[in-house]
Structures are given as structure tokens and as C-alpha cells.
Amino acid sequence: MMAIIGMFFQDGLTGSAWGDWSLYTASPLRAEVDEPPKPPPFDPAKQVGAMEPLGFFDPAGFSKVGDKEGFQNLRAAEIKHGRVAMMAALGAVAQHYIKFPGFETVPAGIGAVTTPPGTYGFAALFLLSGAMELAVWTQDPNKEAGDFGDPLGLGQYNEEFRN
């Protein structure tokens, strides 16, 4: 008896005594299987290197949330430029104390670039570094930026070492 009264009530609400199952989306009996949650978007602030006291430092806003490829490109460029700067600083100090054979008459400092044979040495160094940059020192897209492995087998390439 209660079922018949319920059917009349349902027919008055929906226009169908037997119901249209598409109208019952909130019913726990019709709950759809939930898809697994999507992973959160790439967040540069949660990457290795963002640590105290500065945290994530990007005042110009180059690294966008969700842009993993752009972030990896910027990180690889940052590491490469840092390594070039370290070698340049070492070369700036060492040039006063070390003279290669045939370059004894070349002055120390910037004057070495404009004085032969220093000009030839600079051109050779420029071409050699360009060839190494394009052919040897390339970033593997399957690895993190700056990960060139552990050539000495010391087992020191871990998250603590990278921070």
C-alpha cells in the first residue's frame, strides 16, 4: 500500500510512475565509480632547492605553476650558467699565475683578448667550448636538470646533496 502511494507521489513529481533513472543522480544507489584524483599541477615551489631561509625565489615570475618543461629548461640554464661563472672566476685568478707555452708575452686581464696570440687562444677556446656545449654537455630529457650521473661512483647525488 505504501509502495503504491509512493508511486503516485513519484508520478506527480516526475511524470513517470516507474521513474527516470537519469533524474536520480544524487541517490547513493546510483553513485558512479569515482575516478582517481588527478595529480596536482607541477609546483616549482615544491622542487629541490626551494629551502629555508629563502624558500622558492622567483621575483620576476618566470616559473609558472604547471609549466614543468619551462621550469626544467630554466633550471638547466641556471646550473650551466653557474658552472660557466665558476670557471670564469677560476680563470680570472689563474691567468696571473699560469702561462701556457707560446703565450708568455700575452698580458694578463682583458688585454689578453685583444693581443695576439691571446686572440687566437680566445678563438680556439670559444670554438672548443661551443663544440662541447652542442655535442658533449647536453641535458638528457629523461633526467633532472644538472643530473649528469655520479662519474666517480661516490653515491653523493641525492636530494640532500642537491639542496
Side-chain angles (χ1 to χ4, degrees), residues 7-20:
M7 290 175 67
F8 286 132
F9 183 72
Q10 178 182 352
D11 188 47
L13 289 176
T14 65
S16 172
W18 302 106
D20 182 3

Side-chain angles (χ1 to χ4, degrees), residues 134-147:
L134 296 173
V136 180
W137 296 327
T138 57
Q139 179 67 45
D140 184 357
N142 298 326
K143 293 183 178 179
E144 290 290 323
D147 180 4

Side-chain angles (χ1 to χ4, degrees), residues 33-48:
V33 177
D34 290 335
E35 295 179 15
K38 294 181 180 177
F42 175 79
D43 187 5
K46 294 190 175 16
Q47 298 304 305
V48 172

Side-chain angles (χ1 to χ4, degrees), residues 5-152:
I5 293 172
M7 290 175 67
F8 286 132
F9 183 72
Q10 178 182 352
D11 188 47
L13 289 176
T14 65
S16 172
W18 302 106
D20 182 3
W21 286 108
S22 65
L23 300 175
Y24 297 110
T25 58
S27 170
L29 299 175
R30 300 215 12 110
E32 296 181 18
V33 177
D34 290 335
E35 295 179 15
K38 294 181 180 177
F42 175 79
D43 187 5
K46 294 190 175 16
Q47 298 304 305
V48 172
M51 56 187 214
E52 296 299 328
L54 292 178
F56 180 64
F57 185 74
D58 184 19
F62 289 125
S63 299
K64 307 285 188 244
V65 172
D67 185 15
K68 184 174 184 175
E69 183 179 327
F71 176 79
Q72 295 293 354
N73 185 32
L74 290 172
R75 176 163 276 185
E78 177 185 18
I79 291 171
K80 194 174 285 190
H81 292 152
R83 290 174 179 166
V84 168
M86 287 187 279
M87 291 301 291
L90 178 66
V93 173
Q95 71 176 339
H96 290 286
Y97 304 106
I98 301 170
K99 296 285 185 179
F100 290 112
F103 292 90
E104 293 88 2
T105 60
V106 176
I110 291 294
V113 177
T114 60
T115 307
T119 307
Y120 311 133
F122 175 72
L125 185 62
F126 183 79
L127 292 174
L128 176 67
S129 62
M132 295 293 284
E133 172 77 23
L134 296 173
V136 180
W137 296 327
T138 57
Q139 179 67 45
D140 184 357
N142 298 326
K143 293 183 178 179
E144 290 290 323
D147 180 4
F148 296 107
D150 188 7
L152 299 179

